């Protein structure tokens, strides 16, 4: 049997109130894990909570960029066997609009809050031996540099570089890896700025002829969390329907 299950593991999923994070939480629970979910929007976080399998899950509202709320989250966490870092924001910003304030906001969410969360987890000894950390980067940080995506891409590249150092520093006790998705159908990607024709043309340009679905990213996250991936450390797994070929 390939050890793909997560039975007996406790997994923290950030950004679980929407999109990829919600799908990761759901698939973790379906794979047997107890899941701690976190996000900012209480109504949507509750919807994810209601969809989870099992009765040992927990939800904690938290804006990860706020020190007080992050500390309250840490206080409520059990010992963890895995983390999926999905919280993130995107904003299309041409270079002339890249004010320091806007770049800070993107970096605070996509990079600094993850760095701080991991620091506190380590400091408070909340990671069990054998734990697996999965960070959600993006092909926008590795290979696909589209117009207006400079700040977002840079934040995802920073996340990826940080993950590699973390993978080296925390091995062999803890594994750290990144997923770099292409375009996935989530609220983050709902944009009124492009026409239906442009939307279709973008999908047609992808070798697999479509955007991804959140659960397709979640299946990879579950694999990386599982013991089937126990020799994978410091990897960046691209999952983009061939977009970057
Ligand atoms: N969708 C894509 O095409 C794509 C591609 C590559 C990478 N990614 C990455 O995948 C991750 C998930 O994206 P998604 O598409 O699922 O986006 P999404 O549907 O917009 O969900 C983003 C999640 O991040 C949470 N979040 C944002 N700011 C936060 C903060 N300050 N504190 C705590 N939580 C915060 C949101 O919480 P609330 O809604 O509760 O505020 C929400 O749960 C992101 O890191 C994104 O950059 C997405």
């Amino acid at each position: 049997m390939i050890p793909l299950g997560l039975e007996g593991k406790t997994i923290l999923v950030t950004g679980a109130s929407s999109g990829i994070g919600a799908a990761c939480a759901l698939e973790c629970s379906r794979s047997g894990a107890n899941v701690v979910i976190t996000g900012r929007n209480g109504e949507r976080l509750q919807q994810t909570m209601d969809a989870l399998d099992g009765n040992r899950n927990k939800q904690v509202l938290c804006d990860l960029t706020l020190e007080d709320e992050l500390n309250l989250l840490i206080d409520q966490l059990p010992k963890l066997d895995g983390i999926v870092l999905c919280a993130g924001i995107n904003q299309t910003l041409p270079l002339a609009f890249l004010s320091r304030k806007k770049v800070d906001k993107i970096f605070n969410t996509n990079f600094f809050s993850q760095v701080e969360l991991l620091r506190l987890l380590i400091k408070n000894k909340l990671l069990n031996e054998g734990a697996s950390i999965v960070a959600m980067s993006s092909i926008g940080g590795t290979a696909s540099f589209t117009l207006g995506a400079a700040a977002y891409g840079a934040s995802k590249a920073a996340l990826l570089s940080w993950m590699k150092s973390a993978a080296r520093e925390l091995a062999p006790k803890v594994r750290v890896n990144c997923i770099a998705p292409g375009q996935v159908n989530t609220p983050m990607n709902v944009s009124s700025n492009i026409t239906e024709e442009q939307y279709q043309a973008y999908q047609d340009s992808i070798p697999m002829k479509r955007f991804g679905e959140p659960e397709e990213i979640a299946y990879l996250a579950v694999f990386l969390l599982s013991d089937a991936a126990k020799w994978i450390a410091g990897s960046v797994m691209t999952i983009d329907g061939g977009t970057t070929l």
Side-chain angles (χ1 to χ4, degrees), residues 141-169:
T142 58
S144 175
F145 304 103
T146 52
L147 295 181
Y152 176 76
S155 72
K156 291 297 181 180
L159 185 71
L160 194 147
S161 172
W162 165 79
M163 175 282 292
K164 290 211 175 249
S165 293
R168 202 165 246 290
E169 197 172 320

PDB file of all heavy atoms in Angstrom, residues 141-169:
ATOM      1  N   GLY A 141       6.038  33.321  -9.547  1.00  0.00           N
ATOM      2  CA  GLY A 141       7.293  33.594  -8.840  1.00  0.00           C
ATOM      3  C   GLY A 141       8.451  32.803  -9.408  1.00  0.00           C
ATOM      4  O   GLY A 141       9.597  33.007  -9.008  1.00  0.00           O
ATOM      5  N   THR A 142       8.154  31.877 -10.330  1.00  0.00           N
ATOM      6  CA  THR A 142       9.226  30.994 -10.812  1.00  0.00           C
ATOM      7  C   THR A 142       9.479  31.109 -12.313  1.00  0.00           C
ATOM      8  O   THR A 142      10.611  31.048 -12.758  1.00  0.00           O
ATOM      9  CB  THR A 142       8.890  29.511 -10.546  1.00  0.00           C
ATOM     10  OG1 THR A 142       7.637  29.191 -11.190  1.00  0.00           O
ATOM     11  CG2 THR A 142       8.769  29.215  -9.068  1.00  0.00           C
ATOM     12  N   ALA A 143       8.423  31.278 -13.097  1.00  0.00           N
ATOM     13  CA  ALA A 143       8.620  31.092 -14.545  1.00  0.00           C
ATOM     14  C   ALA A 143       7.704  31.912 -15.435  1.00  0.00           C
ATOM     15  O   ALA A 143       7.936  31.979 -16.639  1.00  0.00           O
ATOM     16  CB  ALA A 143       8.417  29.608 -14.881  1.00  0.00           C
ATOM     17  N   SER A 144       6.674  32.503 -14.896  1.00  0.00           N
ATOM     18  CA  SER A 144       5.682  33.161 -15.743  1.00  0.00           C
ATOM     19  C   SER A 144       5.532  34.611 -15.278  1.00  0.00           C
ATOM     20  O   SER A 144       4.920  34.878 -14.253  1.00  0.00           O
ATOM     21  CB  SER A 144       4.349  32.407 -15.621  1.00  0.00           C
ATOM     22  OG  SER A 144       3.352  33.073 -16.326  1.00  0.00           O
ATOM     23  N   PHE A 145       6.136  35.520 -16.027  1.00  0.00           N
ATOM     24  CA  PHE A 145       6.230  36.909 -15.558  1.00  0.00           C
ATOM     25  C   PHE A 145       5.303  37.794 -16.382  1.00  0.00           C
ATOM     26  O   PHE A 145       5.697  38.374 -17.383  1.00  0.00           O
ATOM     27  CB  PHE A 145       7.690  37.366 -15.583  1.00  0.00           C
ATOM     28  CG  PHE A 145       8.553  36.447 -14.762  1.00  0.00           C
ATOM     29  CD1 PHE A 145       9.365  35.503 -15.362  1.00  0.00           C
ATOM     30  CD2 PHE A 145       8.494  36.479 -13.372  1.00  0.00           C
ATOM     31  CE1 PHE A 145      10.126  34.624 -14.597  1.00  0.00           C
ATOM     32  CE2 PHE A 145       9.254  35.609 -12.595  1.00  0.00           C
ATOM     33  CZ  PHE A 145      10.068  34.676 -13.216  1.00  0.00           C
ATOM     34  N   THR A 146       4.045  37.873 -15.935  1.00  0.00           N
ATOM     35  CA  THR A 146       3.024  38.572 -16.711  1.00  0.00           C
ATOM     36  C   THR A 146       2.932  40.042 -16.300  1.00  0.00           C
ATOM     37  O   THR A 146       3.411  40.434 -15.232  1.00  0.00           O
ATOM     38  CB  THR A 146       1.651  37.886 -16.523  1.00  0.00           C
ATOM     39  OG1 THR A 146       1.396  37.771 -15.117  1.00  0.00           O
ATOM     40  CG2 THR A 146       1.643  36.501 -17.140  1.00  0.00           C
ATOM     41  N   LEU A 147       2.287  40.831 -17.153  1.00  0.00           N
ATOM     42  CA  LEU A 147       2.195  42.276 -16.906  1.00  0.00           C
ATOM     43  C   LEU A 147       1.447  42.554 -15.601  1.00  0.00           C
ATOM     44  O   LEU A 147       0.411  41.956 -15.337  1.00  0.00           O
ATOM     45  CB  LEU A 147       1.461  42.954 -18.065  1.00  0.00           C
ATOM     46  CG  LEU A 147       2.163  42.894 -19.432  1.00  0.00           C
ATOM     47  CD1 LEU A 147       1.335  43.616 -20.495  1.00  0.00           C
ATOM     48  CD2 LEU A 147       3.555  43.501 -19.346  1.00  0.00           C
ATOM     49  N   GLY A 148       1.987  43.453 -14.808  1.00  0.00           N
ATOM     50  CA  GLY A 148       1.312  43.872 -13.579  1.00  0.00           C
ATOM     51  C   GLY A 148       1.502  42.920 -12.412  1.00  0.00           C
ATOM     52  O   GLY A 148       0.917  43.125 -11.346  1.00  0.00           O
ATOM     53  N   ALA A 149       2.323  41.875 -12.611  1.00  0.00           N
ATOM     54  CA  ALA A 149       2.458  40.864 -11.550  1.00  0.00           C
ATOM     55  C   ALA A 149       3.801  40.944 -10.831  1.00  0.00           C
ATOM     56  O   ALA A 149       4.199  39.997 -10.159  1.00  0.00           O
ATOM     57  CB  ALA A 149       2.249  39.471 -12.136  1.00  0.00           C
ATOM     58  N   ALA A 150       4.500  42.073 -10.962  1.00  0.00           N
ATOM     59  CA  ALA A 150       5.863  42.165 -10.402  1.00  0.00           C
ATOM     60  C   ALA A 150       5.881  41.963  -8.885  1.00  0.00           C
ATOM     61  O   ALA A 150       6.696  41.191  -8.364  1.00  0.00           O
ATOM     62  CB  ALA A 150       6.487  43.507 -10.758  1.00  0.00           C
ATOM     63  N   ALA A 151       4.995  42.645  -8.170  1.00  0.00           N
ATOM     64  CA  ALA A 151       5.029  42.558  -6.701  1.00  0.00           C
ATOM     65  C   ALA A 151       4.575  41.177  -6.236  1.00  0.00           C
ATOM     66  O   ALA A 151       5.208  40.560  -5.364  1.00  0.00           O
ATOM     67  CB  ALA A 151       4.143  43.633  -6.094  1.00  0.00           C
ATOM     68  N   TYR A 152       3.492  40.690  -6.831  1.00  0.00           N
ATOM     69  CA  TYR A 152       3.004  39.359  -6.471  1.00  0.00           C
ATOM     70  C   TYR A 152       4.086  38.307  -6.762  1.00  0.00           C
ATOM     71  O   TYR A 152       4.412  37.472  -5.904  1.00  0.00           O
ATOM     72  CB  TYR A 152       1.720  39.059  -7.257  1.00  0.00           C
ATOM     73  CG  TYR A 152       1.167  37.668  -7.037  1.00  0.00           C
ATOM     74  CD1 TYR A 152       0.492  37.339  -5.862  1.00  0.00           C
ATOM     75  CD2 TYR A 152       1.325  36.668  -8.009  1.00  0.00           C
ATOM     76  CE1 TYR A 152      -0.010  36.067  -5.660  1.00  0.00           C
ATOM     77  CE2 TYR A 152       0.821  35.391  -7.813  1.00  0.00           C
ATOM     78  CZ  TYR A 152       0.161  35.084  -6.641  1.00  0.00           C
ATOM     79  OH  TYR A 152      -0.336  33.817  -6.438  1.00  0.00           O
ATOM     80  N   GLY A 153       4.650  38.363  -7.971  1.00  0.00           N
ATOM     81  CA  GLY A 153       5.676  37.385  -8.357  1.00  0.00           C
ATOM     82  C   GLY A 153       6.886  37.442  -7.438  1.00  0.00           C
ATOM     83  O   GLY A 153       7.415  36.407  -7.026  1.00  0.00           O
ATOM     84  N   ALA A 154       7.303  38.667  -7.098  1.00  0.00           N
ATOM     85  CA  ALA A 154       8.467  38.807  -6.211  1.00  0.00           C
ATOM     86  C   ALA A 154       8.170  38.216  -4.836  1.00  0.00           C
ATOM     87  O   ALA A 154       9.027  37.568  -4.225  1.00  0.00           O
ATOM     88  CB  ALA A 154       8.850  40.286  -6.090  1.00  0.00           C
ATOM     89  N   SER A 155       6.934  38.417  -4.347  1.00  0.00           N
ATOM     90  CA  SER A 155       6.590  37.859  -3.026  1.00  0.00           C
ATOM     91  C   SER A 155       6.605  36.328  -3.068  1.00  0.00           C
ATOM     92  O   SER A 155       7.006  35.675  -2.104  1.00  0.00           O
ATOM     93  CB  SER A 155       5.219  38.373  -2.554  1.00  0.00           C
ATOM     94  OG  SER A 155       4.158  37.790  -3.287  1.00  0.00           O
ATOM     95  N   LYS A 156       6.171  35.761  -4.199  1.00  0.00           N
ATOM     96  CA  LYS A 156       6.146  34.297  -4.320  1.00  0.00           C
ATOM     97  C   LYS A 156       7.547  33.726  -4.535  1.00  0.00           C
ATOM     98  O   LYS A 156       7.839  32.604  -4.121  1.00  0.00           O
ATOM     99  CB  LYS A 156       5.204  33.893  -5.470  1.00  0.00           C
ATOM    100  CG  LYS A 156       3.738  34.178  -5.172  1.00  0.00           C
ATOM    101  CD  LYS A 156       3.260  33.356  -3.980  1.00  0.00           C
ATOM    102  CE  LYS A 156       1.813  33.573  -3.655  1.00  0.00           C
ATOM    103  NZ  LYS A 156       1.346  32.784  -2.524  1.00  0.00           N
ATOM    104  N   ALA A 157       8.419  34.502  -5.193  1.00  0.00           N
ATOM    105  CA  ALA A 157       9.819  34.083  -5.353  1.00  0.00           C
ATOM    106  C   ALA A 157      10.515  34.126  -3.994  1.00  0.00           C
ATOM    107  O   ALA A 157      11.315  33.248  -3.666  1.00  0.00           O
ATOM    108  CB  ALA A 157      10.525  34.992  -6.352  1.00  0.00           C
ATOM    109  N   ALA A 158      10.199  35.142  -3.189  1.00  0.00           N
ATOM    110  CA  ALA A 158      10.783  35.247  -1.847  1.00  0.00           C
ATOM    111  C   ALA A 158      10.350  34.043  -1.003  1.00  0.00           C
ATOM    112  O   ALA A 158      11.158  33.433  -0.292  1.00  0.00           O
ATOM    113  CB  ALA A 158      10.345  36.551  -1.182  1.00  0.00           C
ATOM    114  N   LEU A 159       9.079  33.696  -1.113  1.00  0.00           N
ATOM    115  CA  LEU A 159       8.540  32.556  -0.360  1.00  0.00           C
ATOM    116  C   LEU A 159       9.293  31.273  -0.724  1.00  0.00           C
ATOM    117  O   LEU A 159       9.666  30.469   0.134  1.00  0.00           O
ATOM    118  CB  LEU A 159       7.042  32.409  -0.668  1.00  0.00           C
ATOM    119  CG  LEU A 159       6.280  31.356   0.112  1.00  0.00           C
ATOM    120  CD1 LEU A 159       6.114  31.758   1.569  1.00  0.00           C
ATOM    121  CD2 LEU A 159       4.886  31.118  -0.511  1.00  0.00           C
ATOM    122  N   LEU A 160       9.528  31.126  -2.013  1.00  0.00           N
ATOM    123  CA  LEU A 160      10.200  29.930  -2.517  1.00  0.00           C
ATOM    124  C   LEU A 160      11.648  29.846  -2.011  1.00  0.00           C
ATOM    125  O   LEU A 160      12.104  28.792  -1.560  1.00  0.00           O
ATOM    126  CB  LEU A 160      10.164  30.022  -4.041  1.00  0.00           C
ATOM    127  CG  LEU A 160      10.493  28.801  -4.855  1.00  0.00           C
ATOM    128  CD1 LEU A 160       9.646  28.858  -6.113  1.00  0.00           C
ATOM    129  CD2 LEU A 160      11.948  28.823  -5.218  1.00  0.00           C
ATOM    130  N   SER A 161      12.346  30.957  -2.050  1.00  0.00           N
ATOM    131  CA  SER A 161      13.738  30.981  -1.610  1.00  0.00           C
ATOM    132  C   SER A 161      13.817  30.705  -0.099  1.00  0.00           C
ATOM    133  O   SER A 161      14.670  29.921   0.360  1.00  0.00           O
ATOM    134  CB  SER A 161      14.328  32.348  -1.952  1.00  0.00           C
ATOM    135  OG  SER A 161      15.589  32.478  -1.397  1.00  0.00           O
ATOM    136  N   TRP A 162      12.901  31.317   0.643  1.00  0.00           N
ATOM    137  CA  TRP A 162      12.827  31.098   2.098  1.00  0.00           C
ATOM    138  C   TRP A 162      12.551  29.628   2.395  1.00  0.00           C
ATOM    139  O   TRP A 162      13.152  29.017   3.285  1.00  0.00           O
ATOM    140  CB  TRP A 162      11.724  31.995   2.648  1.00  0.00           C
ATOM    141  CG  TRP A 162      11.236  31.689   4.027  1.00  0.00           C
ATOM    142  CD1 TRP A 162      11.834  32.010   5.205  1.00  0.00           C
ATOM    143  CD2 TRP A 162      10.011  31.034   4.367  1.00  0.00           C
ATOM    144  NE1 TRP A 162      11.054  31.579   6.261  1.00  0.00           N
ATOM    145  CE2 TRP A 162       9.930  30.989   5.765  1.00  0.00           C
ATOM    146  CE3 TRP A 162       8.955  30.495   3.621  1.00  0.00           C
ATOM    147  CZ2 TRP A 162       8.857  30.408   6.438  1.00  0.00           C
ATOM    148  CZ3 TRP A 162       7.897  29.918   4.281  1.00  0.00           C
ATOM    149  CH2 TRP A 162       7.853  29.878   5.669  1.00  0.00           C
ATOM    150  N   MET A 163      11.638  29.039   1.604  1.00  0.00           N
ATOM    151  CA  MET A 163      11.287  27.635   1.798  1.00  0.00           C
ATOM    152  C   MET A 163      12.513  26.735   1.629  1.00  0.00           C
ATOM    153  O   MET A 163      12.715  25.784   2.377  1.00  0.00           O
ATOM    154  CB  MET A 163      10.194  27.262   0.787  1.00  0.00           C
ATOM    155  CG  MET A 163       9.785  25.813   0.758  1.00  0.00           C
ATOM    156  SD  MET A 163      10.909  24.690  -0.099  1.00  0.00           S
ATOM    157  CE  MET A 163      10.739  25.219  -1.787  1.00  0.00           C
ATOM    158  N   LYS A 164      13.363  27.063   0.647  1.00  0.00           N
ATOM    159  CA  LYS A 164      14.542  26.210   0.404  1.00  0.00           C
ATOM    160  C   LYS A 164      15.498  26.267   1.600  1.00  0.00           C
ATOM    161  O   LYS A 164      16.025  25.237   2.031  1.00  0.00           O
ATOM    162  CB  LYS A 164      15.249  26.646  -0.881  1.00  0.00           C
ATOM    163  CG  LYS A 164      14.426  26.305  -2.117  1.00  0.00           C
ATOM    164  CD  LYS A 164      15.305  26.006  -3.298  1.00  0.00           C
ATOM    165  CE  LYS A 164      14.476  25.552  -4.478  1.00  0.00           C
ATOM    166  NZ  LYS A 164      14.661  24.156  -4.816  1.00  0.00           N
ATOM    167  N   SER A 165      15.705  27.467   2.142  1.00  0.00           N
ATOM    168  CA  SER A 165      16.561  27.574   3.331  1.00  0.00           C
ATOM    169  C   SER A 165      15.938  26.839   4.507  1.00  0.00           C
ATOM    170  O   SER A 165      16.630  26.146   5.267  1.00  0.00           O
ATOM    171  CB  SER A 165      16.773  29.045   3.716  1.00  0.00           C
ATOM    172  OG  SER A 165      17.523  29.681   2.726  1.00  0.00           O
ATOM    173  N   ALA A 166      14.618  26.990   4.653  1.00  0.00           N
ATOM    174  CA  ALA A 166      13.921  26.314   5.754  1.00  0.00           C
ATOM    175  C   ALA A 166      14.048  24.799   5.602  1.00  0.00           C
ATOM    176  O   ALA A 166      14.250  24.076   6.588  1.00  0.00           O
ATOM    177  CB  ALA A 166      12.450  26.736   5.779  1.00  0.00           C
ATOM    178  N   ALA A 167      13.960  24.311   4.366  1.00  0.00           N
ATOM    179  CA  ALA A 167      14.054  22.859   4.121  1.00  0.00           C
ATOM    180  C   ALA A 167      15.408  22.336   4.567  1.00  0.00           C
ATOM    181  O   ALA A 167      15.521  21.252   5.148  1.00  0.00           O
ATOM    182  CB  ALA A 167      13.825  22.572   2.642  1.00  0.00           C
ATOM    183  N   ARG A 168      16.456  23.114   4.301  1.00  0.00           N
ATOM    184  CA  ARG A 168      17.807  22.704   4.693  1.00  0.00           C
ATOM    185  C   ARG A 168      17.968  22.746   6.215  1.00  0.00           C
ATOM    186  O   ARG A 168      18.483  21.819   6.825  1.00  0.00           O
ATOM    187  CB  ARG A 168      18.818  23.653   4.038  1.00  0.00           C
ATOM    188  CG  ARG A 168      20.174  23.067   3.928  1.00  0.00           C
ATOM    189  CD  ARG A 168      21.024  23.863   2.975  1.00  0.00           C
ATOM    190  NE  ARG A 168      21.378  23.137   1.778  1.00  0.00           N
ATOM    191  CZ  ARG A 168      22.218  22.117   1.731  1.00  0.00           C
ATOM    192  NH1 ARG A 168      22.758  21.652   2.820  1.00  0.00           N
ATOM    193  NH2 ARG A 168      22.517  21.531   0.589  1.00  0.00           N
ATOM    194  N   GLU A 169      17.468  23.838   6.810  1.00  0.00           N
ATOM    195  CA  GLU A 169      17.663  24.040   8.240  1.00  0.00           C
ATOM    196  C   GLU A 169      16.843  23.062   9.092  1.00  0.00           C
ATOM    197  O   GLU A 169      17.292  22.619  10.140  1.00  0.00           O
ATOM    198  CB  GLU A 169      17.290  25.493   8.588  1.00  0.00           C
ATOM    199  CG  GLU A 169      17.815  25.938   9.923  1.00  0.00           C
ATOM    200  CD  GLU A 169      17.592  27.432  10.158  1.00  0.00           C
ATOM    201  OE1 GLU A 169      17.747  28.240   9.222  1.00  0.00           O
ATOM    202  OE2 GLU A 169      17.227  27.771  11.296  1.00  0.00           O
TER     203      GLU A 169
END
